[in-house]
Each structure stands twice: as structure tokens, then as C-alpha cells.
Amino acid sequence: MKKRYIYQFLLVCISSCFLACNGYLEEIPQNKQKLTSTDDYEQLLNKAYLTEAVLPYIDLLTDDISYIAADRDPRYGNVADSYLGAYMWDNNIESTMPNGDEVFGKFYNSIYYTNVVIDEIDQAVGISSNKEETERIRGYLKGEAYALRAFRYLYLVNMYAPPYDPATSSTTPGIPINLETSADDKPYTREMLDKVYGQIVDDLKKAIPLMEENYVSVKKNRFSPIAAKALLARVYLYMQEWDLAIEQAENVIGSNSSLFDLRDEGENPVIYNDNPLSYMSEDNVPGIGYLSEKNTNVLFVNGINELYMILGGNTAQSVFYPSEDLYRAYSAGDVRKYYFMRRNTRSRIRYLKNRYYRVVTINFVDQLSSEYGYTRVMRTEEMYLILAEAYAHKPNGISTAVGYLNTLREMKFRVSDFETNGKLKPEDFSQETLLETVWKERRLEFCFEEQRWFDLRRTTRPSLTHQGLVADPAVLKENDLRYVLQIPQKELSVNPEIGANPR
């Protein structure tokens, strides 16, 4: 049988525990034997946010990224090799990852931290003598922990379980739910999809009032009430609860309707062109980070920019690039095409979405780094597209859906091109063609933000083709079982009751 890759990496040895994190007390400040103060719990919750690269491969599963074997330099240890298993949709995508697929374990570890905060924060002592202030901080941290737990479970269920279908959710296995803080060595089995999503919704419904009633101003790398509402709108969209999705998304936009406006950049001839770049600078690539937490439309950012692992400019680091298919999908006059990507002198498409402010000046480099923006982001644009998709599913909802699409698109097009190439007309659509347009718009807007794979799964699960190092391409067939990722082997080894996903 022909080997697909030049190198294969060994899987990591079996881990010693699953779900419970016995060592979490080691994470709190020194000389503390147990969590006592609200500050201790806040630090533990900060650990749960996981500011490290754990999911750099998810966009490789999609049609938004291509592998160019000709750019691979065998003199170097290419980081790209680590992710070929994911790019080629191996039955086990971790086959080429030196440490295996770490998402499952690290996200459940994060969930364990949130469980500790939820269960124990009510007994925490304040760092000041103000009892009301202490109670307020307790309430907010508890709500924040509920929101983060929901965020983690939504990712896990959309990676390691089938997409949600209301007709079959009560009989379709999902993922394990662990709400405990004990370190008991016991098996964990899967809950049905309806129960997993029910847990996510319940957590968010608890999170929102707790954070609103005990409001604390936090940075955007932590959950706020509006970010939790935006997440709930996303959950309802995935559940095909159109009316509830509309209610939540409208609620968010009612509080923050801002969109990232590209119209002025569209008038700048420097950015709006196809000239290849030999280097990046403020002069030839003007603008600021599209996903920066400084932007008013950005509601929540999580982790670090993991794209540097796959889209870095160093030859020794990557031979992955934004795909030609994605690059050509933008209409004439759509400024996003040039704000997100530009060709270099080798005619390779380079990623630019995370151009980023540092201190006072704009700092451009040819290589991405983990310090340049984020890849997990929630922003108001998503609410407009949730509204468009939800209304597209409703009787007589086409006009309203198109209205939301146009509100968003007008901000992303050069003014002179919007009327001719950007503005959509309700009479041009059926329900089916409108949905296809909404899904395409999501692709254009959310590229490289870890949303495309989830959208492919929950909509059409189309056939995709990827070319790797060998002549034979990899094919992900329509409705392929590999649209559900395999449970990592180290987790199955210590907890076989979970059961492997079918192949």
C-alpha cells in the first residue's frame, strides 16, 4: 500500500488520567494549599482559557487552505508535516502529530477548571472587606465559568460527534459530559446530542444573568454578558432553532451594531490591487488588524493566533497557503479579498487578516507569530449572518435575510462597486439559493477563524479534494464519516467506554 507521507510521527504514550485534573492546585500561587480567595479562583479560570496553541489544524480540514508540495524544503524540519494527517483527512488525523490530537484532553481539562469554579466559588473569601464587592465578584466569576464551559463543549461536540439534527438528536451519541470536580477513576460514556446541547444552553442561560447582575468590566479575552449572548445565538443556529437564534442575535445587535468598515480602505489604490508583495509594510499594506480586540465589533477573543503554525512565512515552517478557490470566491469590489490575503512575488497567496497594532506603531512582518491577533473570535458580523440564515429558513423571510446580508456587505465593498457587484436583490433568490449565498458569505467573512469546518459539517458536508505529497489526492466524500473526527487514541486507551467514532 502506497504511503501518503514522507514522514510519520509516533503517537504519544498513553496519558495517565482522563477528564479530572488532579494537579490543578499546582497552578495556583505558591504557598497555597487550596483555593480560598476570589483571586485564586480567578487565576484558575484564567488557566481554563488556554492561551496556547491547541487547535492549529482545524482550518486545514476545509477548502480554504492548500498545500503546495513544491515549496517544501527537505533540508528543514517542516512544521507542516505535523498536520498532513489532518489535511489529508486520515482516519486518525493525529497520525502525523508528534503529541497526538491534544484538543480533546486540553478542552476537558479546561472544563474541569470551570467545574471547580462553579462548585466552589460561593465559599471564596474576598480580597477586600467589602462584602457586596466580594459577592459581586463571586457571581461574575461563576457566570464566566458557565459561559466558558459552554464554549468548550460546543467545540468538542462539533469536532468529535455528528452534527446536530433535531429529528435524531435524542438517539445520536454525542460526547461525555463531566460536571464533577472529584478525581474518581471511573469510565465516562457519551451522552446523546440533545443532552449535550441542552447542557450548553443551560450553562449559557445561567451565565448571562449572573454576569449581568454582577457586572464586572473585563477585557475581551474573557467572557462578558454580550459575548455569552452571541455564543448562545451561535448554539441556537447550530440547533436549527431559528426563532431563538433570531432573538439572541437581535439582542446582541441591539447592544452593539457596529461592523468593521472597509469602505475607506476600498478607495485606497495601494490595498485594492493585485500587485504581488515582496514584503509587507505600512506603506504597501495599510490598515489594522481585522480581528483585533481593539475593534468595537469584536466581542470576544480566545487563545492566541494559532495560524502561525500553518501559515507562517518561513519556508522551514509552512507550505500551507490560503486556497485559490477561496481567493477567487470574492466578487469584484469586495475589499476583504485584499485585506485578508495578497499574493507574493512567487504568486503564492499570503495571509494578512491578522495585521496587528503593537504598542503605538503598526508592525508588519513576513511571518505570523502567536502575538498577532487571534483565531477564535466572536464579533457582530456573525450576528448579522445568523439573522440572515435564520430568516432564510422562515416562510416569507427572504427579504429580511437579504436585508441583513446587504447591511454587512455594504461595509465590505468599495463604494463604487457595491451597487453593481455587492448589493443583493430579494427577487433573485429562492430559499435554496439564498441559503447557499448565506453560507458562502460566512466563508468569505469568517475565513481562518475556525468556523468553516463547523459550517461544512452542519450544512451540506460536500465532497472535498486535497493534494498532498504524492500523486493520488485525498478525497473527503459527501457525507463522509470523517466529517466527525476520531477520538484521540490516548483517550480511548484509558477510557474505552467512550467508543471510537465509526469509519
Side-chain angles (χ1 to χ4, degrees):
M1 181 177 180
K2 182 181 291 186
K3 292 184 178 179
R4 179 170 289 163
Y5 312 116
I6 291 178
Y7 299 109
Q8 290 286 336
F9 295 93
L10 295 176
L11 293 176
V12 177
C13 296
I14 296 173
S15 59
S16 59
C17 69
F18 171 69
L19 296 180
C21 178
N22 294 328
Y24 81 92
L25 290 176
E26 299 173 6
E27 308 284 1
I28 65 176
Q30 294 180 356
N31 301 322
K32 296 273 188 180
Q33 297 302 311
K34 62 180 181 178
L35 300 168
T36 57
S37 72
T38 54
D39 187 59
D40 291 340
Y41 285 96
E42 184 172 1
Q43 290 188 50
L44 183 63
L45 194 57
N46 286 339
K47 286 289 183 183
Y49 277 104
L50 292 176
T51 53
E52 58 183 310
V54 292
L55 192 52
Y57 63 76
I58 191 166
D59 282 308
L60 293 178
L61 300 166
T62 75
D63 47 358
D64 284 350
I65 291 181
S66 295
Y67 180 87
I68 301 180
D71 284 7
R72 187 183 184 281
D73 192 332
R75 294 176 302 171
Y76 302 105
N78 285 266
V79 172
D81 291 348
S82 302
Y83 303 109
L84 273 172
Y87 182 72
M88 302 295 276
W89 305 297
D90 275 4
N91 285 338
N92 254 328
I93 65 167
E94 64 180 351
S95 62
T96 56
M97 298 178 190
N99 297 319
D101 180 8
E102 298 184 289
V103 176
F104 193 92
K106 288 190 174 182
F107 276 25
Y108 271 109
N109 196 50
S110 171
I111 288 169
Y112 179 79
Y113 289 149
T114 64
N115 291 346
V116 173
V117 174
I118 290 167
D119 283 2
E120 301 179 8
I121 188 66
D122 290 342
Q123 283 73 50
V125 298
I127 58 177
S128 74
S129 58
N130 188 321
K131 292 183 179 180
E132 290 184 359
E133 176 73 5
T134 298
E135 190 67 26
R136 184 169 63 90
I137 293 173
R138 286 175 185 160
Y140 192 89
L141 290 175
K142 191 171 189 176
E144 193 178 351
Y146 275 123
L148 181 55
R149 186 166 74 180
F151 186 61
R152 293 287 180 240
Y153 273 125
L154 186 64
Y155 258 78
L156 287 164
V157 76
N158 278 279
M159 293 176 67
Y160 302 107
Y164 187 93
D165 182 343
T168 60
S169 63
S170 63
T171 56
T172 301
I175 55 172
I177 295 177
N178 178 30
L179 308 180
E180 302 175 3
T181 58
S182 64
D184 295 339
D185 184 14
K186 67 176 184 179
Y188 287 87
T189 58
R190 298 175 189 248
E191 302 290 349
M192 296 298 111
L193 274 181
D194 63 339
K195 186 170 182 179
V196 177
Y197 273 86
Q199 181 64 51
I200 294 169
V201 170
D202 184 63
D203 277 353
L204 289 170
K205 285 185 173 181
K206 291 176 179 175
I208 293 167
L210 277 169
M211 288 190 287
E212 286 183 328
E213 294 165 11
N214 301 279
Y215 184 73
V216 174
S217 179
V218 296
K219 293 182 178 180
K220 291 181 181 179
N221 61 353
R222 292 172 55 181
F223 267 102
S224 63
I226 193 171
K229 291 176 183 178
L231 181 59
L232 185 55
R234 181 188 294 183
V235 173
Y236 283 140
L237 183 78
Y238 286 11
M239 296 176 70
Q240 302 175 33
E241 294 282 0
W242 313 125
D243 289 335
L244 293 174
I246 289 169
E247 179 184 0
Q248 285 299 316
E250 287 180 339
N251 192 325
V252 173
I253 290 175
S255 299
N256 183 352
S257 61
S258 63
L259 293 166
F260 194 98
D261 191 344
L262 290 174
R263 290 175 295 181
D264 287 345
E265 297 296 347
E267 304 305 320
N268 188 336
V270 174
I271 189 173
Y272 192 79
N273 65 68
D274 281 306
N275 295 337
L277 295 171
S278 58
Y279 65 96
M280 287 184 277
S281 73
E282 185 177 352
D283 294 328
N284 63 12
V285 187
I288 64 171
Y290 198 78
L291 305 180
S292 170
E293 71 274 21
K294 293 180 173 64
N295 301 335
T296 57
N297 63 307
V298 172
L299 305 175
F300 174 72
V301 297
N302 178 243
I304 60 173
N305 178 11
E306 299 181 341
L307 291 171
Y308 79 97
M309 301 288 286
I310 57 172
L311 294 178
N314 192 329
T315 302
Q317 188 173 36
S318 178
V319 286
F320 290 112
Y321 300 91
S323 70
E324 291 284 346
D325 181 58
L326 173 64
Y327 191 71
R328 293 169 180 166
Y330 292 88
S331 303
D334 193 332
V335 187
R336 290 174 296 188
K337 175 179 182 178
Y338 304 100
Y339 212 85
F340 298 170
M341 298 168 282
R342 286 283 290 276
R343 291 191 187 276
N344 61 18
T345 53
R346 301 181 64 194
S347 196
R348 309 303 193 216
I349 304 170
R350 301 305 305 180
Y351 171 83
L352 297 177
K353 198 172 188 179
N354 278 99
R355 65 191 72 168
Y356 195 64
Y357 271 129
R358 297 185 70 185
V359 192
V360 178
T361 62
I362 298 176
N363 189 352
F364 287 99
V365 293
D366 288 332
Q367 292 178 214
L368 291 171
S369 78
S370 61
E371 299 175 8
Y372 275 59
Y374 303 85
T375 44
R376 283 186 289 280
V377 181
M378 286 194 296
R379 45 196 179 85
T380 55
E381 280 85 354
E382 183 176 357
M383 300 301 103
Y384 287 86
L385 290 170
I386 286 174
L387 287 164
E389 184 171 344
Y391 272 109
H393 279 283
K394 294 175 66 66
N396 304 316
I398 289 179
S399 181
T400 304
V402 170
Y404 280 115
L405 286 175
N406 282 333
T407 298
L408 184 146
R409 286 167 65 84
E410 185 174 6
M411 294 292 183
K412 313 301 177 180
F413 273 71
R414 186 165 62 176
V415 174
S416 58
D417 288 309
F418 177 68
E419 288 293 329
T420 54
N421 297 318
K423 191 171 184 178
L424 307 175
K425 300 176 181 179
E427 59 268 25
D428 291 339
F429 293 100
S430 65
Q431 187 177 56
E432 181 180 357
T433 59
L434 179 56
L435 283 170
E436 291 171 355
T437 300
V438 172
W439 297 333
K440 179 182 177 181
E441 194 67 29
R442 288 180 64 90
R443 182 188 187 189
L444 302 179
E445 180 63 34
F446 301 133
C447 60
F448 317 118
E449 294 183 49
E450 300 184 351
Q451 296 223 41
R452 178 63 174 168
W453 179 245
F454 295 161
D455 282 349
L456 289 170
R457 278 171 36 93
R458 70 181 181 83
T459 57
T460 59
R461 292 179 292 284
S463 178
L464 302 177
T465 301
H466 281 172
Q467 185 67 55
L469 280 170
V470 298
D472 296 336
V475 177
L476 188 69
K477 298 178 181 178
E478 185 177 2
N479 294 317
D480 201 301
L481 291 173
R482 291 171 293 174
Y483 268 108
V484 180
L485 302 186
Q486 189 56 270
I487 304 293
Q489 184 56 51
K490 59 186 175 184
E491 308 298 344
L492 291 174
S493 297
V494 298
N495 197 31
E497 286 82 0
I498 296 176
N501 285 320
R503 287 292 184 263

PDB file of all heavy atoms in Angstrom, residues 215-231:
ATOM      1  N   TYR A 215     -22.185  42.614  37.303  1.00  0.00           N
ATOM      2  CA  TYR A 215     -21.304  43.037  36.209  1.00  0.00           C
ATOM      3  C   TYR A 215     -19.926  43.495  36.685  1.00  0.00           C
ATOM      4  O   TYR A 215     -19.797  44.261  37.640  1.00  0.00           O
ATOM      5  CB  TYR A 215     -21.948  44.159  35.405  1.00  0.00           C
ATOM      6  CG  TYR A 215     -21.113  44.553  34.207  1.00  0.00           C
ATOM      7  CD1 TYR A 215     -21.035  43.720  33.101  1.00  0.00           C
ATOM      8  CD2 TYR A 215     -20.376  45.729  34.223  1.00  0.00           C
ATOM      9  CE1 TYR A 215     -20.253  44.062  32.014  1.00  0.00           C
ATOM     10  CE2 TYR A 215     -19.597  46.078  33.137  1.00  0.00           C
ATOM     11  CZ  TYR A 215     -19.526  45.237  32.030  1.00  0.00           C
ATOM     12  OH  TYR A 215     -18.741  45.566  30.965  1.00  0.00           O
ATOM     13  N   VAL A 216     -18.917  42.985  36.004  1.00  0.00           N
ATOM     14  CA  VAL A 216     -17.532  43.384  36.203  1.00  0.00           C
ATOM     15  C   VAL A 216     -16.957  43.679  34.827  1.00  0.00           C
ATOM     16  O   VAL A 216     -17.139  42.893  33.889  1.00  0.00           O
ATOM     17  CB  VAL A 216     -16.708  42.268  36.888  1.00  0.00           C
ATOM     18  CG1 VAL A 216     -15.236  42.656  36.952  1.00  0.00           C
ATOM     19  CG2 VAL A 216     -17.246  41.966  38.280  1.00  0.00           C
ATOM     20  N   SER A 217     -16.285  44.783  34.683  1.00  0.00           N
ATOM     21  CA  SER A 217     -15.668  45.127  33.404  1.00  0.00           C
ATOM     22  C   SER A 217     -14.420  44.267  33.201  1.00  0.00           C
ATOM     23  O   SER A 217     -13.495  44.295  34.027  1.00  0.00           O
ATOM     24  CB  SER A 217     -15.300  46.607  33.362  1.00  0.00           C
ATOM     25  OG  SER A 217     -14.680  46.932  32.132  1.00  0.00           O
ATOM     26  N   VAL A 218     -14.400  43.484  32.128  1.00  0.00           N
ATOM     27  CA  VAL A 218     -13.267  42.606  31.846  1.00  0.00           C
ATOM     28  C   VAL A 218     -12.781  42.860  30.427  1.00  0.00           C
ATOM     29  O   VAL A 218     -13.480  43.423  29.589  1.00  0.00           O
ATOM     30  CB  VAL A 218     -13.657  41.115  32.003  1.00  0.00           C
ATOM     31  CG1 VAL A 218     -14.041  40.815  33.440  1.00  0.00           C
ATOM     32  CG2 VAL A 218     -14.786  40.740  31.041  1.00  0.00           C
ATOM     33  N   LYS A 219     -11.564  42.412  30.146  1.00  0.00           N
ATOM     34  CA  LYS A 219     -11.035  42.510  28.797  1.00  0.00           C
ATOM     35  C   LYS A 219     -11.754  41.508  27.897  1.00  0.00           C
ATOM     36  O   LYS A 219     -12.405  40.570  28.364  1.00  0.00           O
ATOM     37  CB  LYS A 219      -9.537  42.240  28.808  1.00  0.00           C
ATOM     38  CG  LYS A 219      -8.730  43.306  29.539  1.00  0.00           C
ATOM     39  CD  LYS A 219      -7.234  43.003  29.474  1.00  0.00           C
ATOM     40  CE  LYS A 219      -6.433  44.095  30.172  1.00  0.00           C
ATOM     41  NZ  LYS A 219      -4.976  43.830  30.115  1.00  0.00           N
ATOM     42  N   LYS A 220     -11.594  41.688  26.606  1.00  0.00           N
ATOM     43  CA  LYS A 220     -12.322  40.855  25.649  1.00  0.00           C
ATOM     44  C   LYS A 220     -11.794  39.432  25.548  1.00  0.00           C
ATOM     45  O   LYS A 220     -12.397  38.601  24.877  1.00  0.00           O
ATOM     46  CB  LYS A 220     -12.315  41.515  24.269  1.00  0.00           C
ATOM     47  CG  LYS A 220     -13.153  42.782  24.211  1.00  0.00           C
ATOM     48  CD  LYS A 220     -13.148  43.401  22.830  1.00  0.00           C
ATOM     49  CE  LYS A 220     -13.963  44.678  22.801  1.00  0.00           C
ATOM     50  NZ  LYS A 220     -13.952  45.314  21.455  1.00  0.00           N
ATOM     51  N   ASN A 221     -10.683  39.133  26.213  1.00  0.00           N
ATOM     52  CA  ASN A 221     -10.220  37.746  26.243  1.00  0.00           C
ATOM     53  C   ASN A 221     -10.888  36.954  27.356  1.00  0.00           C
ATOM     54  O   ASN A 221     -10.514  35.814  27.625  1.00  0.00           O
ATOM     55  CB  ASN A 221      -8.703  37.670  26.366  1.00  0.00           C
ATOM     56  CG  ASN A 221      -8.184  38.313  27.642  1.00  0.00           C
ATOM     57  OD1 ASN A 221      -8.932  38.937  28.398  1.00  0.00           O
ATOM     58  ND2 ASN A 221      -6.890  38.174  27.880  1.00  0.00           N
ATOM     59  N   ARG A 222     -11.908  37.560  27.988  1.00  0.00           N
ATOM     60  CA  ARG A 222     -12.750  36.870  28.952  1.00  0.00           C
ATOM     61  C   ARG A 222     -14.208  37.089  28.558  1.00  0.00           C
ATOM     62  O   ARG A 222     -14.546  38.059  27.886  1.00  0.00           O
ATOM     63  CB  ARG A 222     -12.491  37.392  30.367  1.00  0.00           C
ATOM     64  CG  ARG A 222     -11.118  37.045  30.898  1.00  0.00           C
ATOM     65  CD  ARG A 222     -10.821  37.734  32.222  1.00  0.00           C
ATOM     66  NE  ARG A 222     -11.838  37.458  33.241  1.00  0.00           N
ATOM     67  CZ  ARG A 222     -11.792  37.962  34.469  1.00  0.00           C
ATOM     68  NH1 ARG A 222     -10.801  38.765  34.832  1.00  0.00           N
ATOM     69  NH2 ARG A 222     -12.738  37.669  35.347  1.00  0.00           N
ATOM     70  N   PHE A 223     -15.056  36.192  28.983  1.00  0.00           N
ATOM     71  CA  PHE A 223     -16.471  36.294  28.617  1.00  0.00           C
ATOM     72  C   PHE A 223     -17.149  37.460  29.325  1.00  0.00           C
ATOM     73  O   PHE A 223     -16.944  37.701  30.508  1.00  0.00           O
ATOM     74  CB  PHE A 223     -17.215  34.996  28.930  1.00  0.00           C
ATOM     75  CG  PHE A 223     -17.266  34.052  27.772  1.00  0.00           C
ATOM     76  CD1 PHE A 223     -16.425  32.951  27.717  1.00  0.00           C
ATOM     77  CD2 PHE A 223     -18.143  34.275  26.709  1.00  0.00           C
ATOM     78  CE1 PHE A 223     -16.459  32.082  26.634  1.00  0.00           C
ATOM     79  CE2 PHE A 223     -18.186  33.420  25.630  1.00  0.00           C
ATOM     80  CZ  PHE A 223     -17.345  32.311  25.584  1.00  0.00           C
ATOM     81  N   SER A 224     -17.970  38.152  28.552  1.00  0.00           N
ATOM     82  CA  SER A 224     -18.840  39.216  29.039  1.00  0.00           C
ATOM     83  C   SER A 224     -20.275  38.780  28.769  1.00  0.00           C
ATOM     84  O   SER A 224     -20.510  37.806  28.039  1.00  0.00           O
ATOM     85  CB  SER A 224     -18.534  40.513  28.294  1.00  0.00           C
ATOM     86  OG  SER A 224     -18.810  40.351  26.904  1.00  0.00           O
ATOM     87  N   PRO A 225     -21.268  39.489  29.310  1.00  0.00           N
ATOM     88  CA  PRO A 225     -22.654  39.101  29.021  1.00  0.00           C
ATOM     89  C   PRO A 225     -22.973  39.114  27.530  1.00  0.00           C
ATOM     90  O   PRO A 225     -23.637  38.207  27.023  1.00  0.00           O
ATOM     91  CB  PRO A 225     -23.466  40.149  29.782  1.00  0.00           C
ATOM     92  CG  PRO A 225     -22.579  40.599  30.889  1.00  0.00           C
ATOM     93  CD  PRO A 225     -21.195  40.560  30.333  1.00  0.00           C
ATOM     94  N   ILE A 226     -22.508  40.139  26.800  1.00  0.00           N
ATOM     95  CA  ILE A 226     -22.844  40.211  25.378  1.00  0.00           C
ATOM     96  C   ILE A 226     -22.148  39.103  24.590  1.00  0.00           C
ATOM     97  O   ILE A 226     -22.706  38.559  23.632  1.00  0.00           O
ATOM     98  CB  ILE A 226     -22.498  41.603  24.799  1.00  0.00           C
ATOM     99  CG1 ILE A 226     -23.131  41.760  23.421  1.00  0.00           C
ATOM    100  CG2 ILE A 226     -20.988  41.831  24.753  1.00  0.00           C
ATOM    101  CD1 ILE A 226     -23.021  43.175  22.859  1.00  0.00           C
ATOM    102  N   ALA A 227     -20.955  38.712  25.002  1.00  0.00           N
ATOM    103  CA  ALA A 227     -20.269  37.609  24.332  1.00  0.00           C
ATOM    104  C   ALA A 227     -21.001  36.295  24.578  1.00  0.00           C
ATOM    105  O   ALA A 227     -21.101  35.448  23.676  1.00  0.00           O
ATOM    106  CB  ALA A 227     -18.825  37.514  24.812  1.00  0.00           C
ATOM    107  N   ALA A 228     -21.504  36.107  25.785  1.00  0.00           N
ATOM    108  CA  ALA A 228     -22.275  34.889  26.093  1.00  0.00           C
ATOM    109  C   ALA A 228     -23.563  34.848  25.282  1.00  0.00           C
ATOM    110  O   ALA A 228     -23.981  33.778  24.808  1.00  0.00           O
ATOM    111  CB  ALA A 228     -22.568  34.816  27.585  1.00  0.00           C
ATOM    112  N   LYS A 229     -24.208  35.998  25.099  1.00  0.00           N
ATOM    113  CA  LYS A 229     -25.415  36.043  24.265  1.00  0.00           C
ATOM    114  C   LYS A 229     -25.085  35.717  22.811  1.00  0.00           C
ATOM    115  O   LYS A 229     -25.852  35.022  22.129  1.00  0.00           O
ATOM    116  CB  LYS A 229     -26.059  37.429  24.360  1.00  0.00           C
ATOM    117  CG  LYS A 229     -26.665  37.738  25.723  1.00  0.00           C
ATOM    118  CD  LYS A 229     -27.197  39.174  25.776  1.00  0.00           C
ATOM    119  CE  LYS A 229     -27.737  39.500  27.157  1.00  0.00           C
ATOM    120  NZ  LYS A 229     -28.213  40.905  27.244  1.00  0.00           N
ATOM    121  N   ALA A 230     -23.958  36.221  22.325  1.00  0.00           N
ATOM    122  CA  ALA A 230     -23.538  35.913  20.960  1.00  0.00           C
ATOM    123  C   ALA A 230     -23.273  34.421  20.803  1.00  0.00           C
ATOM    124  O   ALA A 230     -23.621  33.814  19.785  1.00  0.00           O
ATOM    125  CB  ALA A 230     -22.290  36.720  20.596  1.00  0.00           C
ATOM    126  N   LEU A 231     -22.657  33.818  21.814  1.00  0.00           N
ATOM    127  CA  LEU A 231     -22.414  32.380  21.767  1.00  0.00           C
ATOM    128  C   LEU A 231     -23.721  31.608  21.771  1.00  0.00           C
ATOM    129  O   LEU A 231     -23.874  30.619  21.043  1.00  0.00           O
ATOM    130  CB  LEU A 231     -21.540  31.957  22.947  1.00  0.00           C
ATOM    131  CG  LEU A 231     -21.187  30.471  23.016  1.00  0.00           C
ATOM    132  CD1 LEU A 231     -20.433  30.010  21.770  1.00  0.00           C
ATOM    133  CD2 LEU A 231     -20.363  30.173  24.280  1.00  0.00           C
TER     134      LEU A 231
END
